[in-house]
Amino acid sequence: MQVTLLYFARLRERFGMAEEQLSLPEGIQTVAGLIAHLAARGDVWAEELAGERVYRVALDQEMADFSAQLHHGAEVAVFPPVTGG
Amino acid sequence: MQVTLLYFARLRERFGMAEEQLSLPEGIQTVAGLIAHLAARGDVWAEELAGERVYRVALDQEMADFSAQLHHGAEVAVFPPVTGG
Amino acid sequence: METLPQATIPSARFHVAVQAEDFDLQAEMRTLSAGDRGIGAITSFVGLVRDLNLADDVVAMELEHYPGMTEKALIRIAEEAAVRWPLHGVSIIHRVGKLYPGDAIVLVLVASAHRHAAFEANAFIMDFLKTRAPFWKKEWTPEGPRWVDARETDYSAAARWHKVVSEQYGNDEHD
Amino acid sequence: METLPQATIPSARFHVAVQAEDFDLQAEMRTLSAGDRGIGAITSFVGLVRDLNLADDVVAMELEHYPGMTEKALIRIAEEAAVRWPLHGVSIIHRVGKLYPGDAIVLVLVASAHRHAAFEANAFIMDFLKTRAPFWKKEWTPEGPRWVDARETDYSAAARWHKVVSEQYGNDEHD
């Protein structure tokens, strides 16, 4: 399953990228699985996604929780809590 | 005691005047006394001031209740409940 | 009513006007906020003459007021709001004379550091203006003019503020 | 959340924009209300960059957003407001890019027949925008840039609306 990942704000800067295409290993079906997969990269990925830091995930441009099901071609965005207005 | 009376909106039209100078008889000291004095004119004055109709009184340009004390030179306005905004 | 926190009123700018002319929201906002970089939130209320309001064939609205008392009443209402919420400025413009459907009747602008204060103070001012400011509306119809009656709901809306518990506005919020 | 009164949404106009340019409040109000003579009340909220907000030597603010999702989120928030209150129109403009103290960041305009609906829906939209719309603020200081942290108070402000009991807005009130 192929997904597009987008990073914003502090996460974009820390990860050093705004976007990546990712082919997910077999067995990753949910947002939770994807986040664990990213955190397993270690370093800043583990710091931001597996530690105390708070972040949000959007799936196909809608706020999503960890149980949300991924699909082929999904657009998944990971970002800090929003601070607009 | 001399007072200036002002009438607005429906009351101005019904009384047929916007303003009058009045020398109050001895013994009239409050807004209540003044209103009773005006209502005693009968006709539209009694209809508007002594019947079911609701009205408001301002003394020296501040909302006042019936117990408010008059003074020489006071400006007393009588008008329907306000409907601005 | 709460006791007056003396510090809040001198810092707030109050502007009131009763006029026949229309107003420009953007220009009034600029005037109210000019030079004050502590303002994080500005709310506005604009009341318009509407058709539904105007039963059957009402073609125009005419507004009468009590010159002298009106301006004092508007300033008083703005001051009462500034006692209850930490405001940087209040601007109230009320039109008088003949107005037509779609025309603006009233503008209330409130500037504060905090958005909730700016919203609540603006609603408070409108509720009090509806019951305390000496304006009267007359509707013009093909059958002739008629005065608009005061509404019970406006009085209950103003009365509810007496029950509102003053909230704490700290420096935890910037707009 | 309440069930959807189907009649309210189609009648409301929604306009959202994410832009670098400033906006003109008067022009946006005119656009929102043009041709609709049932509107009796228009509220606006304007958020400004303020100095106090900007601790020490902050010289500018930079706003980043998530193109595509942002517009959807703003439309969604406007629709949620229109389910809860009888609205005639909502306009939301959010600026992005570099902004300076005194600059406007966001505009929310709400048009309704009734003033209380227009006030409450506007406050609701701002509370939800602060927690649901994908914008991020960065402060620029002489020491370099830093991201602004989300505030707990914004999340509690948005959460309180889940408890608000929907009020009845009849035809008893015209603005």
Side-chain angles (χ1 to χ4, degrees):
Chain A
M1 176 158 60
Q2 181 101 4
V3 299
T4 300
L5 282 161
L6 302 176
Y7 309 111
F8 289 98
R10 192 192 72 240
L11 296 188
R12 174 178 52 72
E13 292 182 351
R14 293 221 73 204
F15 297 160
M17 66 178 84
E19 179 171 351
E20 64 177 313
Q21 303 294 325
L22 206 62
S23 291
L24 296 183
E26 287 291 320
I28 295 185
Q29 302 288 338
T30 63
V31 166
L34 171 60
I35 293 293
H37 180 65
L38 295 173
R41 290 172 173 176
D43 192 30
V44 293
W45 298 88
E47 268 177 46
E48 292 290 347
L49 303 177
E52 302 272 287
R53 295 301 192 92
V54 179
Y55 55 90
R56 299 280 184 267
V57 178
L59 173 59
D60 295 332
Q61 305 190 347
E62 301 279 353
M63 289 292 192
D65 58 31
F66 280 179
S67 65
Q69 292 288 315
L70 302 176
H71 61 87
H72 183 74
E75 178 176 305
V76 182
V78 189
F79 44 73
V82 305
T83 56
Chain B
M1 171 157 66
Q2 179 103 5
V3 299
T4 300
L5 282 161
L6 302 176
Y7 308 113
F8 290 98
R10 194 191 70 239
L11 296 188
R12 173 177 52 71
E13 293 182 350
R14 293 221 74 204
F15 297 160
M17 67 178 82
E19 179 169 351
E20 64 177 311
Q21 302 294 325
L22 206 62
S23 290
L24 296 183
E26 286 292 322
I28 294 186
Q29 302 289 339
T30 62
V31 166
L34 172 60
I35 292 292
H37 181 65
L38 293 174
R41 291 171 171 175
D43 192 30
V44 294
W45 298 88
E47 268 176 46
E48 292 291 347
L49 302 177
E52 300 274 287
R53 294 301 193 91
V54 180
Y55 55 90
R56 300 280 184 269
V57 178
L59 173 60
D60 297 330
Q61 306 191 346
E62 300 277 352
M63 289 293 191
D65 58 33
F66 280 179
S67 65
Q69 292 289 316
L70 301 176
H71 62 87
H72 182 75
E75 177 177 305
V76 182
V78 190
F79 44 74
V82 306
T83 55
Chain C
M1 196 178 306
E2 299 88 323
T3 52
L4 179 70
Q6 292 292 346
T8 61
I9 283 187
S11 65
R13 298 179 194 181
F14 300 120
H15 166 73
V16 305
V18 180
Q19 62 189 44
E21 307 76 50
D22 199 5
F23 45 77
D24 183 278
L25 198 47
Q26 182 72 13
E28 297 300 333
M29 185 181 77
R30 286 239 172 84
T31 302
L32 186 66
S33 63
D36 184 343
R37 292 284 177 268
I39 297 172
I42 301 180
T43 55
S44 78
F45 174 86
V46 175
L48 303 175
V49 180
R50 70 180 184 123
D51 264 339
L52 303 182
N53 167 18
L54 310 169
D56 38 33
D57 285 329
V58 177
V59 291
M61 185 79 100
E62 190 172 357
L63 276 130
E64 177 171 332
H65 80 119
Y66 179 174
M69 177 172 170
T70 313
E71 294 79 359
K72 285 184 197 173
L74 296 179
I75 285 282
R76 173 75 56 90
I77 292 166
E79 286 174 346
E80 284 190 26
V83 169
R84 289 157 191 249
W85 291 277
L87 305 183
H88 285 239
V90 173
S91 184
I92 305 176
I93 300 177
H94 205 298
R95 294 178 69 190
V96 289
K98 250 207 174 136
L99 298 173
Y100 300 87
D103 281 355
I105 304 174
V106 61
L107 167 67
V108 177
L109 274 169
V110 174
S112 176
H114 315 293
R115 76 178 182 279
H116 292 120
F119 275 122
E120 290 172 24
N122 203 315
F124 170 92
I125 288 167
M126 275 307 304
D127 284 348
F128 276 72
L129 188 152
K130 289 252 175 195
T131 58
R132 300 240 201 118
F135 292 99
W136 300 274
K137 281 178 186 153
K138 181 187 238 178
E139 290 172 347
W140 287 85
T141 73
E143 293 78 43
R146 65 175 169 235
W147 291 100
V148 174
D149 281 331
R151 291 173 309 177
E152 194 51 49
T153 52
D154 284 334
Y155 284 85
S156 56
R160 80 191 157 93
W161 289 103
H162 296 300
K163 286 179 276 182
V164 168
V165 177
S166 166
E167 287 174 43
Q168 195 65 39
Y169 289 88
N171 46 13
D172 59 320
E173 200 168 320
H174 72 288
D175 56 19
Chain D
M1 196 178 308
E2 300 88 323
T3 52
L4 178 71
Q6 292 290 348
T8 60
I9 282 188
S11 66
R13 299 178 193 182
F14 299 121
H15 166 73
V16 306
V18 180
Q19 62 190 43
E21 307 77 50
D22 199 5
F23 45 78
D24 182 279
L25 199 45
Q26 182 72 12
E28 296 299 332
M29 185 181 76
R30 286 238 172 86
T31 302
L32 185 66
S33 64
D36 185 344
R37 292 285 178 265
I39 298 172
I42 301 180
T43 55
S44 78
F45 175 86
V46 175
L48 303 174
V49 180
R50 71 181 184 121
D51 264 341
L52 303 182
N53 165 16
L54 310 170
D56 42 28
D57 286 328
V58 175
V59 291
M61 184 78 97
E62 190 172 356
L63 276 129
E64 178 172 333
H65 80 120
Y66 179 174
M69 178 173 169
T70 314
E71 293 79 359
K72 285 184 196 174
L74 295 179
I75 285 282
R76 173 75 55 90
I77 292 165
E79 287 175 344
E80 284 190 25
V83 168
R84 289 156 191 248
W85 291 276
L87 306 183
H88 285 239
V90 173
S91 184
I92 306 176
I93 300 177
H94 204 297
R95 293 178 68 192
V96 290
K98 224 118 182 227
L99 299 172
Y100 300 86
D103 282 354
I105 304 175
V106 63
L107 167 67
V108 176
L109 274 169
V110 174
S112 175
H114 314 294
R115 75 179 183 278
H116 292 120
F119 276 124
E120 289 172 25
N122 203 315
F124 170 92
I125 289 167
M126 275 307 301
D127 284 349
F128 275 73
L129 189 152
K130 289 252 177 196
T131 59
R132 300 241 200 116
F135 292 98
W136 300 274
K137 281 179 186 151
K138 183 188 239 176
E139 291 173 348
W140 287 85
T141 74
E143 294 78 42
R146 66 177 168 232
W147 292 100
V148 175
D149 282 330
R151 291 173 310 177
E152 194 52 49
T153 51
D154 284 334
Y155 284 86
S156 56
R160 82 191 156 96
W161 290 102
H162 296 298
K163 286 179 276 182
V164 168
V165 177
S166 166
E167 286 173 43
Q168 195 67 36
Y169 289 89
N171 45 13
D172 60 318
E173 201 169 317
H174 71 289
D175 57 18

